[in-house]
Amino acid sequence: MIQVLQKKFVTTAMLAITVLILLLLGAINIANIVIARNETDKTLHMIAGKNGKMDAVRPVPDSAAPGFFVKPPKNDYDTFLSSNFFVVHFDGKGGVVSSDISRTSSITKEEAEELAVKAYFSGKVSGKAGRFRYLLQNAHIGNGKLVVFLDTSGERFSYVRVMLLSGMVGLLCWGMMLVFVVSLSKKAIRPIAESMERQKQFVTNAGHEIKTPLAIIQSNTEAMELYQGENKWSRNIKVQAVRLDGLMKQLLLLARMEEGGTKGSLVDFSYSELLVKSVQGFSQFIETKRIDLKLSIEPGINIYADRSHMEQMVSVLLDNAVKYAKEDGEIEVCLKKNGKQNVLKIQNTCEQLPGVPPEKLFDRFYRADSARTQKNGGYGIGLSVARSIAEANNGAITAEYIGTDRICFKVSTKAEGLLHVKADGSK
């Protein structure tokens, strides 16, 4: 149980850390993309404003003091010198007047004009063409329009570089946090583990302490009946003593399983035969309530698990179905092989489904109807015992309702032998 709590703590903490890291990395990369694109747009407008002419940009003395942490932004002259671009001029009718490819060596004049014509007649003011981003606007000198194409290879490299670096840093931080969370998990769950351990120890000690007075009460009641005869008070004492004894046995079983002391021995046995014998044991109770029993048990199905555990689990499910099935109702027991799994279904009709989520039915001492549960002799921990049995055999139990008046348990066993119990229904 402590290991399960530790795994849940680590899983939950790492899930939160993963989400936080992803959000941070996403914000960093999005901010980098937005800043880089803004710089590109600013450069395009600056070049277009100067008609792509070098002589239109004058060098500006850098009077700002050099920054120790943040470099001062480039002036227009430096930006012009460091940019790879070409410019194509159009007349008022869309004909190419001139083109300037002196600021780039990666494209010919014909290719530049072909890209410019496509951009001109695309109807867009700005856009992308391969590794270039372009801006179309009216020429500031002369008539017509001009298109400026700026090489953004460096911008793309910046995206990839920041993405890779941030991903590596994020992965490193995630690994460091995993080590930290794992080392912290034992300390974090220690108060809960100690509290659970005290509860289980209390149940175990109380169970052993109550055994002796219960035995004395039962023996003294029987002795009293020998001298004074049986009466309704002595019968009530014996009934409640037996009930309390059964309750303590169930609690002790739960405590032992949660402590990991009842693992059982795994053997290969006939699942089909075990189920047939278990159903036969409840035949009298089924006939008394005039319940329609439908059996569909495929022969020759074996299972690798603890036999006594499986007998008790099947008994809990059948007892639950019989107790809560309505008069003249229906119980269906089906066992079949489905691919790599053996599937057992035990379902019954009931007068009214509980008004709580199905998973709530596995809570210890939960009672949908306390008066009815006591009348039927239940303790309210039958499904808790079944769940503990499943967990002791590497399994799990869930629950769901079917329709408006039917509850179905589904018990699945994997082909490799590890028990996995999945209940599609309840108490």
Side-chain angles (χ1 to χ4, degrees):
M1 182 60 70
I2 294 177
Q3 292 180 348
V4 173
L5 286 175
Q6 187 177 359
K7 288 180 180 179
K8 288 184 178 180
F9 175 83
V10 172
T11 302
T12 304
M14 290 310 300
L15 180 61
I17 291 171
T18 302
V19 172
L20 179 61
I21 290 177
L22 291 176
L23 289 175
L24 288 175
L25 295 183
I28 291 173
N29 282 275
I30 291 174
N32 176 62
I33 292 173
V34 171
I35 292 173
R37 287 188 176 179
N38 287 339
E39 289 295 325
T40 299
D41 291 339
K42 182 179 177 182
T43 301
L44 277 171
H45 281 87
M46 184 271 294
I47 295 173
K50 306 299 182 180
N51 269 30
K53 301 296 184 180
M54 183 71 178
D55 54 4
V57 184
R58 297 181 178 275
V60 179
D62 190 1
S63 59
F68 291 100
F69 300 104
V70 181
K71 292 182 179 180
K74 290 182 180 181
N75 55 47
D76 290 350
Y77 186 78
D78 291 336
T79 301
F80 198 97
L81 289 177
S82 61
S83 300
N84 294 327
F85 65 91
F86 65 88
V87 182
V88 178
H89 291 259
F90 291 89
D91 57 23
K93 298 180 180 180
V96 176
V97 176
S98 64
S99 58
D100 181 4
I101 59 171
S102 61
R103 299 298 306 172
T104 182
S105 60
S106 60
I107 193 169
T108 64
K109 184 176 181 180
E110 291 75 14
E111 292 173 338
E113 292 180 355
E114 182 180 354
L115 288 175
V117 169
K118 289 181 179 180
Y120 184 90
F121 291 102
S122 67
K124 296 180 181 179
V125 176
S126 61
K128 296 181 65 176
R131 67 178 185 276
F132 295 96
R133 290 188 64 189
Y134 67 85
L135 176 67
L136 173 65
Q137 67 177 33
N138 293 326
H140 290 271
I141 300 176
N143 298 322
K145 295 186 177 182
L146 62 84
V147 184
V148 179
F149 284 82
L150 180 64
D151 190 342
T152 57
S153 301
E155 179 183 333
R156 294 182 180 181
F157 177 74
S158 172
Y159 298 162
V160 175
R161 179 178 56 190
V162 172
M163 187 177 300
L164 290 176
L165 289 176
S166 62
M168 292 173 61
V169 172
L171 187 61
L172 178 62
C173 292
W174 190 90
M176 294 174 61
M177 290 304 301
L178 176 61
V179 174
F180 177 73
V181 170
V182 171
S183 61
L184 183 66
S185 60
K186 291 184 179 179
K187 185 176 180 180
I189 67 170
R190 186 178 300 166
I192 300 176
E194 290 176 353
S195 176
M196 294 178 63
E197 188 64 29
R198 286 194 295 268
Q199 291 180 13
K200 290 185 288 187
Q201 192 62 39
F202 170 77
V203 172
T204 302
N205 295 338
H208 288 297
E209 291 296 328
I210 291 176
K211 279 184 177 180
T212 300
L214 272 178
I216 294 174
I217 291 173
Q218 288 176 322
S219 60
N220 287 347
T221 302
E222 292 173 357
M224 183 179 64
E225 288 181 339
L226 290 175
Y227 287 97
Q228 300 180 3
E230 186 182 37
N231 54 58
K232 63 180 181 179
W233 293 285
S234 65
R235 286 194 298 270
N236 288 339
I237 292 173
K238 289 193 296 182
V239 168
Q240 296 304 321
V242 171
R243 176 178 172 81
L244 184 57
D245 181 64
L247 175 59
M248 292 312 304
K249 288 179 179 178
Q250 297 274 35
L251 288 175
L252 288 174
L253 176 63
L254 281 174
R256 287 197 300 271
M257 286 187 169
E258 290 176 355
E259 289 171 359
T262 311
K263 289 294 182 182
S265 56
L266 303 180
V267 295
D268 185 66
F269 61 92
S270 175
Y271 199 4
S272 303
E273 293 180 3
L274 181 145
L275 187 58
V276 170
K277 291 180 180 179
S278 299
V279 172
Q280 289 175 350
F282 285 87
S283 59
Q284 182 178 354
F285 301 102
I286 293 173
E287 292 175 359
T288 301
K289 295 186 69 173
R290 301 184 301 277
I291 295 174
D292 182 20
L293 177 63
K294 295 183 178 180
L295 293 179
S296 178
I297 301 175
E298 184 177 324
I301 295 181
N302 283 18
I303 186 175
Y304 187 74
D306 184 273
R307 186 182 181 92
S308 61
H309 284 178
M310 291 301 296
E311 287 178 345
Q312 187 164 6
M313 176 177 288
V314 171
S315 177
V316 167
L317 297 179
L318 288 173
D319 180 68
N320 185 80
V322 173
K323 283 180 179 178
Y324 294 93
K326 58 184 179 181
E327 297 283 344
D328 300 319
E330 178 181 300
I331 293 178
E332 183 177 345
V333 180
C334 176
L335 175 64
K336 64 180 180 179
K337 195 165 187 178
N338 184 13
K340 295 183 179 181
Q341 287 189 331
N342 299 325
V343 180
L344 166 65
K345 291 183 179 180
I346 300 178
Q347 61 183 6
N348 65 278
T349 56
C350 56
E351 294 180 357
Q352 183 179 1
L353 292 176
V356 296
E359 184 64 21
K360 182 72 174 177
L361 301 170
F362 294 102
D363 289 355
R364 198 172 301 180
F365 296 112
Y366 169 77
R367 298 173 185 273
D369 188 338
S370 298
R372 187 172 173 223
T373 302
Q374 294 183 3
K375 180 180 178 181
N376 291 336
Y379 305 110
I381 59 174
L383 293 181
S384 297
V385 172
R387 179 169 58 183
S388 296
I389 290 174
E391 291 174 353
N393 289 270
N394 301 316
I397 296 182
T398 58
E400 75 171 349
Y401 305 131
I402 296 179
T404 58
D405 64 344
R406 188 175 293 268
I407 304 173
C408 173
F409 287 90
K410 182 188 294 183
V411 183
S412 302
T413 54
K414 284 191 174 180
E416 57 266 28
L418 294 180
L419 176 66
H420 289 269
V421 180
K422 187 178 181 183
D424 306 327
S426 152
K427 215 168 175 177

